[in-house]
Amino acid sequence: MKHYYKIFAIALILTISTQLSFSQNTNNGWSFEAGLSVVNLYPVGEDAPQGEFFDEFINLNDHGNLGVYLGVTRNLTNNLSITAKGTVNEISKWGEFGEADESVLVDNLKYYGLDAMVNYSFGKGKLQPFIAVGGGYTWIEEGPFNTFSTTSGTKNLIGAGTANGSIGLKYWISDKLGVNLQTTYKHAFKDYLPKHWDHNVGIVYKLENSQEVTIETEKVTTTESLWSFEVGVSVVDLFPVGEDAPQGEFFDEFINYNDHGNLGYYIGVTRNLTDNFSLTAKGTVNEISKWGEFGELDESVLVDNLKYYGLDAMANYSFGTGKLQPFVGVGAGYTWIEEGPFNTFSTSNGTDNLVGAGTANGSVGVKYWISDKLGVNVQTTYKHSFEDYLPKHWNHNVGLVYKINGKEKIEDDTVNDTDGDGVPNEYDLCPDVAGLANLGGCPDTDGDGITDKDDLCPEIKGTIAFGGCVDSDGDGIPDNRDACPELKGADNGCPIKVVETPTIEPVTPVIVERKVYFGYNSTKLDLNAKVLLNDLAASVTGDSNYSIAIEGHADSNGSKTYNYNLSLKRAEAIKSYLATKNLSSSFISISGKGDTEPASSNKTDEGRALNRRAELTINISAK
């Protein structure tokens, strides 16, 4: 089969060119990946038709065999993980004997691989190079260069164990979606199974986080609609697919639907899993009357209205949640085309047979939402067949999309609320004392916005800067620690006594402000936050009076109550950390603002990242 290197390049361009801004890695426990596999038996250090190590290593056109793979990975630490992978391929190119014969062909030998790898990645950012070692078992159907059995006239699958070594690179487009580029050398333990390379390019999706403890939010769905239905026009084009006439080169006359397009229709249904990730099932019905062209004198090669049916499933990732939503998709399906002059398969004469095969699919498209319920979908899909008798082709769609249902709230019938304040125990910071919902279920006796449990003066209305206390004389020392609360002074709040020595000016209290940022839906302190808090703790010496007020914030994702509770827990996390640095909890107060005081716009990822924060006000004065 020709032009596999072009297919490989297209898949790479479609995934890398659609970048999103990156937010902090949440170290999810499990990830799933799927993509293309290119098996190369040539540059492995063996005699012809195989070749020397790394000879024509990237010449995938002459030596590459295209297939698909699926994998699942379990992260053990931030750097160490284990992967299980399955590969399905067909071997048609074995190597070469010299310049006169660039590619030694074999008869589409079946290839199956099951492998397990231990991976070590370098870094935790967007770009993560990695190495891996492991083993597996590979089967290749017998052919002229790997004959093992003595049975003639049959093609037996022969298999052996392999020792594997890999290098690769993962690039995370978002918190959950990434691209994996990897090459693996597989050394067989038996002579009858050839050594070979397995190159992979795929899309990686992180499953739900199973390691980090976060606030439970699954009881309320946040996607606008769980299901959507679409119907529209399908245009099947068999011409610009990188094959010989009457088909043509990749993207040649790509939008010439008049000469090459075959009109039909499609229906589809989509299930949204998150705001960006969805699954689609689609059925297509068409008739093929235009197959391609032989040249300028014959613009369109016609066939006799061959029936076309397609069933496909796709995993989609959309960029953005506004009206205009570009997206990419990968998946697979099964397509049937009635036999004709350019796709004859059966030996029956006088019958029109439907012949079908599996396909690997890649899509790009854009959806535009006219209203909350109704939208337009424009999409193009490349469908690569696993069998020679089914042609590769493009399937372009234009259709209307209708969201079947709106927001859906799933509530638990039994709410456990011990103190009866309307805040369930799982969200109540004070589950045994009735309080206010906007303060996480805790009471605020003096009404100063600081819960009693964190208020240093719970019965006197004060300010956040002084931990809920007041400073009546304005000397920077709250009344609860001021020896002279009615007199302004620097000597424990009292005026400095007049002595014979020269007058010493009172020390001006120092007020320091700091900001700590959090990951999405997280209360976990990262390394930057801990370094900042360590420096803060070191600056508060034993000869200082101090009070620390911590104000938590959140971005606008989620309900007001949920965001308030999250902001309060962020402030609580900082207070707990400072307590481990020998700062007294009695001098630290916390409060939550939810999403009511954003520092930046909540319409962009960068703005929401700035809003996921806690602000610290530190009041320090000498004793």
Side-chain angles (χ1 to χ4, degrees):
M1 305 266 304
K2 304 187 305 177
H3 305 298
Y4 283 148
Y5 74 101
K6 294 184 179 179
I7 300 167
F8 186 86
I10 289 170
L12 183 60
I13 291 169
L14 291 179
T15 51
I16 293 180
S17 63
T18 51
Q19 304 300 321
L20 281 181
S21 58
F22 181 79
S23 55
Q24 185 180 341
N25 188 354
T26 54
N27 291 322
N28 300 61
W30 291 92
S31 62
F32 173 81
E33 64 182 285
L36 300 178
S37 163
V38 178
V39 172
N40 189 349
L41 294 93
Y42 181 68
V44 294
E46 292 291 337
D47 294 335
Q50 295 179 288
E52 294 299 318
F53 267 116
F54 303 111
D55 183 23
E56 300 185 30
F57 188 71
I58 60 173
N59 185 356
L60 303 181
N61 186 43
D62 285 346
H63 308 307
N65 300 278
L66 187 65
V68 295
Y69 80 96
L70 294 173
V72 62
T73 297
R74 177 67 163 93
N75 287 342
L76 304 178
T77 68
N78 286 338
N79 303 99
L80 192 66
S81 61
I82 54 176
T83 297
K85 185 172 68 174
T87 305
V88 177
N89 210 311
E90 284 191 346
I91 307 301
S92 61
K93 303 172 185 176
W94 200 273
E96 66 180 53
F97 283 112
E99 294 299 325
D101 186 6
E102 283 299 315
S103 184
V104 172
L105 304 180
V106 291
D107 187 19
N108 293 331
L109 308 177
K110 293 181 175 62
Y111 174 104
Y112 304 103
L114 292 175
D115 300 286
M117 304 289 283
V118 178
N119 317 291
Y120 186 86
S121 63
F122 303 92
K124 297 186 293 182
K126 282 189 192 179
L127 201 61
Q128 297 180 4
F130 66 90
I131 57 175
V133 293
Y137 206 90
T138 298
W139 296 262
I140 301 180
E141 190 175 16
E142 284 186 298
F145 303 106
N146 65 326
T147 302
F148 175 64
S149 65
T150 57
T151 305
S152 60
T154 61
K155 290 184 176 180
N156 298 303
L157 273 177
I158 55 174
T162 63
N164 305 342
S166 286
I167 58 172
L169 185 71
K170 286 183 180 177
Y171 181 82
W172 293 104
I173 300 171
S174 69
D175 279 345
K176 289 186 174 291
L177 190 71
V179 177
N180 181 38
L181 300 175
Q182 182 176 356
T183 185
T184 303
Y185 174 72
K186 301 177 73 172
H187 185 89
F189 294 123
K190 300 292 184 182
D191 291 339
Y192 54 78
L193 188 80
K195 312 167 190 173
H196 57 282
W197 295 87
D198 184 11
H199 313 296
N200 298 149
V201 55
I203 291 180
V204 187
Y205 181 75
K206 291 181 180 177
L207 304 179
E208 289 300 321
N209 190 350
S210 60
Q211 295 178 333
E212 182 181 351
V213 178
T214 57
I215 300 171
E216 184 76 23
T217 61
E218 284 78 6
K219 291 185 179 178
V220 180
T221 58
T222 58
T223 53
E224 290 183 3
S225 178
L226 294 178
W227 293 93
S228 62
F229 173 81
E230 63 183 285
V231 61
V233 174
S234 165
V235 177
V236 173
D237 188 351
L238 294 93
F239 183 67
V241 294
E243 291 291 340
D244 295 333
Q247 295 177 286
E249 292 298 317
F250 267 115
F251 302 113
D252 184 21
E253 300 186 30
F254 188 70
I255 58 174
N256 186 357
Y257 302 140
N258 187 44
D259 285 346
H260 307 134
N262 300 278
L263 193 64
Y265 63 89
Y266 79 97
I267 58 173
V269 63
T270 297
R271 175 65 160 89
N272 287 342
L273 302 180
T274 70
D275 286 340
N276 301 100
F277 192 69
S278 62
L279 300 175
T280 297
K282 185 171 68 176
T284 305
V285 176
N286 211 310
E287 284 192 346
I288 306 301
S289 61
K290 302 171 187 177
W291 200 272
E293 65 181 54
F294 282 111
E296 296 299 327
L297 297 179
D298 187 5
E299 283 299 316
S300 184
V301 172
L302 303 180
V303 291
D304 188 17
N305 293 330
L306 307 177
K307 293 181 176 63
Y308 174 104
Y309 304 103
L311 292 175
D312 300 286
M314 303 287 285
N316 315 293
Y317 187 86
S318 64
F319 304 94
T321 55
K323 283 191 173 183
L324 194 66
Q325 297 178 4
F327 65 91
V328 296
V330 294
Y334 207 90
T335 298
W336 296 262
I337 300 180
E338 188 177 13
E339 285 186 298
F342 303 105
N343 65 325
T344 302
F345 175 63
S346 66
T347 57
S348 303
N349 295 321
T351 60
D352 294 326
N353 297 303
L354 275 175
V355 293
T359 64
N361 305 340
S363 285
V364 294
V366 62
K367 287 182 180 177
Y368 181 81
W369 293 103
I370 302 170
S371 67
D372 288 342
K373 294 275 190 181
L374 188 66
V376 177
N377 180 35
V378 179
Q379 180 177 357
T380 185
T381 302
Y382 175 72
K383 301 178 71 172
H384 183 88
S385 172
F386 294 123
E387 303 291 351
D388 290 341
Y389 54 79
L390 187 81
K392 313 166 192 173
H393 57 281
W394 295 88
N395 185 10
H396 313 295
N397 298 147
V398 178
L400 290 177
V401 187
Y402 181 76
K403 293 180 180 178
I404 297 175
N405 59 317
K407 290 185 178 180
E408 177 180 313
K409 186 174 182 181
I410 305 171
E411 296 182 351
D412 196 344
D413 294 335
T414 59
V415 177
N416 190 8
D417 180 16
T418 302
D419 54 19
D421 58 5
V423 181
N425 287 352
E426 58 183 315
Y427 301 119
D428 200 329
L429 300 178
C430 304
D432 298 319
V433 182
L436 303 173
N438 64 347
L439 292 178
C442 293
D444 176 21
T445 301
D446 54 19
D448 57 6
I450 303 173
T451 60
D452 289 356
K453 71 184 184 66
D454 298 311
D455 198 329
L456 302 180
C457 302
E459 298 181 356
I460 300 174
K461 188 174 183 178
T463 62
I464 293 175
F466 295 112
C469 297
V470 296
D471 177 20
S472 300
D473 54 17
D475 58 6
I477 302 175
D479 289 359
N480 63 317
R481 293 193 286 115
D482 196 331
C484 303
E486 305 297 330
L487 296 175
K488 187 174 184 178
D491 184 9
N492 284 330
C494 294
I496 298 175
K497 296 179 181 180
V498 177
V499 295
E500 297 297 330
T501 56
T503 302
I504 301 175
E505 292 294 333
V507 178
T508 302
V510 177
I511 296 178
V512 180
E513 294 182 349
R514 294 288 186 269
K515 291 182 181 179
V516 171
Y517 294 94
F518 293 84
Y520 175 73
N521 196 27
S522 176
T523 61
K524 184 177 179 181
L525 296 173
D526 63 16
L527 181 59
N528 291 333
K530 291 180 180 179
V531 169
L532 184 148
L533 295 175
N534 291 342
D535 291 342
L536 171 63
S539 68
V540 180
T541 59
D543 60 351
S544 301
N545 287 312
Y546 66 92
S547 63
I548 302 174
I550 307 171
E551 192 176 86
H553 298 266
D555 62 28
S556 61
N557 287 337
S559 67
K560 294 291 184 183
T561 300
Y562 174 75
N563 287 338
Y564 172 78
N565 293 334
L566 178 60
S567 67
L568 203 58
K569 286 183 180 266
R570 285 172 172 165
E572 184 78 38
I574 295 175
K575 178 179 179 180
S576 299
Y577 185 81
L578 290 176
T580 67
K581 300 300 178 181
N582 297 321
L583 296 184
S584 174
S585 296
S586 61
F587 298 143
I588 304 174
S589 62
I590 65 171
S591 63
K593 295 297 181 180
D595 57 12
T596 60
E597 296 181 11
S600 184
S601 170
N602 275 303
K603 294 182 179 179
T604 65
D605 289 344
E606 293 82 1
R608 287 190 291 273
L610 293 174
N611 292 335
R612 299 191 291 269
R613 71 195 192 281
E615 297 183 355
L616 287 73
T617 303
I618 307 99
N619 193 299
I620 306 173
S621 62
K623 290 186 178 179

